[in-house]
Amino acid sequence: MSTEKKVLKLIYTIIFIIQILIVAILYMQKSINEYYKEYMPFLVKIFLIIGFLFLSSIIIYIVENKINSKNQEELDEYNIQSNFDIDFRDKDILYLSTIFNKQQPGKKELLLLIMQLIKKKAIDLSCYQNCNKYQYIIEKRNLQFNNITNVEQELIRYLFKDSYRVDLIKKINEIYSKNNTKDIVNKCKEYISNFVTIKKSSNKKIFQTITTFIAILVIFIGFFVMILISATTKNNYTNSIAIIGKYILYAIICIAIGYIVTIILKKINIRYKYDNDSYLWICKNLIFLNILILTSFIFTNYYLIQFIELITYIFTTLTIMIMYNEHICLSEKDIEIRKRLFSLREYFKEMRYLKDKEFANIMTYEECLMYGFLLNITIKINDEFDILQKQLFDTAKNESKLYIKLFQSNILK
């Protein structure tokens, strides 16, 4: 393990310890309503049961991930040496993206397919300058190619359904803003399953059972807390309005917490699948949970906000385990190619700017653009391509804004 990785783990550990100390101090300074104290032992026992069930699911989740990633070591990106190795250029970009990111293809991979089609000369990319602005046009070639896959043919039909010549940036914005490419994405997933082993969680039933038990306990606690709050609140018109206002506020807080927790936990979980580092994954989860607890102390009824935050966190994590728990099982050959991709990324990072025109004898600018987007970096090429890279990355970042909508639609299936 590199020194940088050790320092990173140490930093996360220190942050977590500091958070625990701050939370402990705040709990000692905050007083609980005397009426609630006699019920605290009972509530603590229920929360301990919930904690035990949730911890069990976490352990199962980690063990399952380790078993399915048995060929892959814990990724240490700080220990990767740069190397200009492009012997995998004959590999399909969907395959390279899947093993590099350890994720199934999504909308971002459609952009990579477009770049691969440009590389294959199935479509042409042109750049036109108008004052200080650039316009990027892709054109369909009227030729038949034997090296075009069925997925690429489907994408070409989608891109050029109205015209043989379209604005690339507008088309990419359309891909991300609309949900009309779902069939193509599904075909990409079917295609990649021929090259990479993708396993669904075998413990889905266990996670569902744990979620059901926790849900029953949470409903019980919820009713119990509501009865306690009602018993300690005076029953008059003024207070009734105030109570309704509080419930509306709590509803808004629940929506906000759900939105934040869902986005952050999904990103943390994706990163875990990517680097296989269980320790950092646990640290990030605990640090995020402590942040939620610390923010709750700004409210008068902080314990109620904490209850909402904790339950939202638990159910969101369990939902991810049930619905988004799939494993990209890499072979030794896949892992070797993945390492070479990381080395190539480090090479591009150090290279900074492709001024050497002789480089075009090895890789085209369009190919550099494709690998830059695949490796999640910006490769400095020239002015017009630099701007195109920025627009592509900006468009891809907007995917997070659509996540909640997609998350909700998946849950309702």
Side-chain angles (χ1 to χ4, degrees), residues 310-351:
L310 182 63
I311 295 307
T312 304
Y313 172 84
I314 289 174
F315 280 119
T316 304
T317 303
L318 288 170
T319 302
I320 290 172
M321 291 178 182
I322 294 170
M323 302 193 65
Y324 301 96
N325 192 359
E326 57 189 16
H327 303 273
I328 310 295
C329 302
L330 304 182
S331 65
E332 292 182 4
K333 182 181 177 182
D334 297 332
I335 292 169
E336 182 59 33
I337 294 175
R338 189 171 192 249
K339 288 179 180 178
R340 286 157 56 191
L341 284 169
F342 280 112
S343 295
L344 181 63
R345 185 180 69 172
E346 294 305 310
Y347 174 83
F348 280 137
K349 282 182 178 179
E350 293 175 4
M351 194 171 183

Side-chain angles (χ1 to χ4, degrees), residues 157-404:
R157 282 193 287 270
Y158 170 79
L159 293 172
F160 302 101
K161 60 183 175 182
D162 299 321
S163 172
Y164 73 95
R165 189 172 187 269
V166 295
D167 187 299
L168 176 60
I169 301 301
K170 287 183 179 178
K171 207 65 182 178
I172 290 172
N173 282 322
E174 179 187 313
I175 288 173
Y176 273 92
S177 60
K178 297 182 180 179
N179 202 26
N180 55 0
T181 55
K182 187 176 180 180
D183 290 340
I184 303 177
V185 172
N186 287 336
K187 287 184 179 180
C188 289
K189 292 178 180 179
E190 290 176 11
Y191 174 79
I192 202 62
S193 64
N194 297 320
F195 303 94
V196 179
T197 302
I198 302 172
K199 290 184 180 179
K200 296 287 185 181
S201 172
S202 59
N203 296 311
K204 186 175 179 179
K205 292 292 184 183
I206 297 175
F207 295 134
Q208 288 175 332
T209 304
I210 290 174
T211 304
T212 302
F213 276 115
I214 292 177
I216 293 170
L217 292 173
V218 168
I219 292 171
F220 175 76
I221 293 173
F223 279 118
F224 189 77
V225 171
M226 289 291 292
I227 293 170
L228 287 177
I229 293 173
S230 299
T232 56
T233 305
K234 291 182 179 178
N235 234 343
N236 57 54
Y237 181 75
T238 306
N239 280 334
S240 296
I241 295 175
I243 291 170
I244 292 171
K246 281 185 179 181
Y247 286 151
I248 293 173
L249 176 62
Y250 289 145
I252 295 171
I253 291 172
C254 284
I255 295 171
I257 291 172
Y259 181 85
I260 294 169
V261 170
T262 302
I263 289 179
I264 294 178
L265 285 184
K266 183 70 186 297
K267 289 186 178 296
I268 291 174
N269 200 63
I270 288 173
R271 183 69 191 182
Y272 177 46
K273 298 291 185 181
Y274 174 81
D275 61 19
N276 201 35
D277 194 325
S278 299
Y279 183 79
L280 280 181
W281 179 71
I282 292 171
C283 282
K284 289 175 182 177
N285 272 272
L286 292 173
I287 289 171
F288 175 58
L289 184 58
N290 277 323
I291 290 172
L292 291 176
I293 292 172
L294 287 169
T295 55
S296 68
F297 283 103
I298 64 176
F299 298 93
T300 304
N301 293 336
Y302 65 92
Y303 44 86
L304 185 57
I305 301 299
Q306 287 175 7
F307 172 73
I308 295 170
E309 290 173 339
L310 182 63
I311 295 307
T312 304
Y313 172 84
I314 289 174
F315 280 119
T316 304
T317 303
L318 288 170
T319 302
I320 290 172
M321 291 178 182
I322 294 170
M323 302 193 65
Y324 301 96
N325 192 359
E326 57 189 16
H327 303 273
I328 310 295
C329 302
L330 304 182
S331 65
E332 292 182 4
K333 182 181 177 182
D334 297 332
I335 292 169
E336 182 59 33
I337 294 175
R338 189 171 192 249
K339 288 179 180 178
R340 286 157 56 191
L341 284 169
F342 280 112
S343 295
L344 181 63
R345 185 180 69 172
E346 294 305 310
Y347 174 83
F348 280 137
K349 282 182 178 179
E350 293 175 4
M351 194 171 183
R352 299 291 179 185
Y353 208 99
L354 305 182
K355 291 182 178 179
D356 187 2
K357 296 299 180 182
E358 293 299 320
F359 192 83
N361 295 329
I362 305 171
M363 291 180 73
T364 63
Y365 286 154
E366 291 86 352
E367 197 171 4
C368 289
L369 187 70
M370 179 180 72
Y371 282 115
F373 199 69
L374 165 66
L375 304 172
N376 301 313
I377 58 172
T378 301
I379 303 175
K380 294 290 184 181
I381 305 174
N382 51 37
D383 290 342
E384 61 267 28
F385 278 103
D386 291 350
I387 293 172
L388 176 57
Q389 286 183 95
K390 183 180 183 302
Q391 290 179 322
L392 290 174
F393 276 112
D394 288 345
T395 304
K397 285 178 182 177
N398 291 332
E399 185 178 13
S400 61
K401 297 179 181 178
L402 303 172
Y403 171 67
I404 290 298

Side-chain angles (χ1 to χ4, degrees), residues 40-52 217-218 220-221 224:
M40 286 306 295
F42 173 70
L43 291 172
V44 167
K45 288 179 182 178
I46 296 180
F47 273 112
L48 285 175
I49 296 172
I50 293 175
F52 173 77
L217 292 173
V218 168
F220 175 76
I221 293 173
F224 189 77

